[in-house]
Amino acid sequence: ENGKNIDEAYRKGVALALEKISNQNIDLAILQSRSPTCGVNEIYDGTFTGTLISGQGLFAKALMDRGIKVIDAEDI
């Protein structure tokens, strides 16, 4: 919103989280709706207008790529 790009910080956070759970046997992750990191079904488009787009946040996608099932918190 203020022109500061925080993409690198988000990616570092995802990498750190993945490192922390690397030795865990995870069957399911319940993640926050619409978050740019944890959104499962849709995320905000980054324009700060409240516009939603289909897709996954960085952490949700990383978990899915590792074969971990993820669901949106609103789906429970």
Side-chain angles (χ1 to χ4, degrees), residues 10 30-61 70-76:
Y10 275 40
I30 303 169
L31 302 175
Q32 180 60 44
S33 306
R34 297 174 295 281
S35 160
T37 51
C38 296
V40 175
N41 301 314
E42 55 187 7
I43 56 174
Y44 289 106
D45 71 353
T47 62
F48 296 93
T49 60
T51 303
L52 294 169
I53 58 173
S54 294
Q56 295 79 38
L58 297 171
F59 187 56
K61 179 78 168 94
V70 298
I71 61 171
D72 188 297
E74 289 185 347
D75 290 340
I76 56 171

Side-chain angles (χ1 to χ4, degrees), residues 15-27:
L16 178 62
L18 291 173
E19 180 183 317
K20 296 279 186 185
I21 64 169
S22 65
N23 294 322
Q24 303 297 314
N25 184 15
I26 300 170
D27 296 318

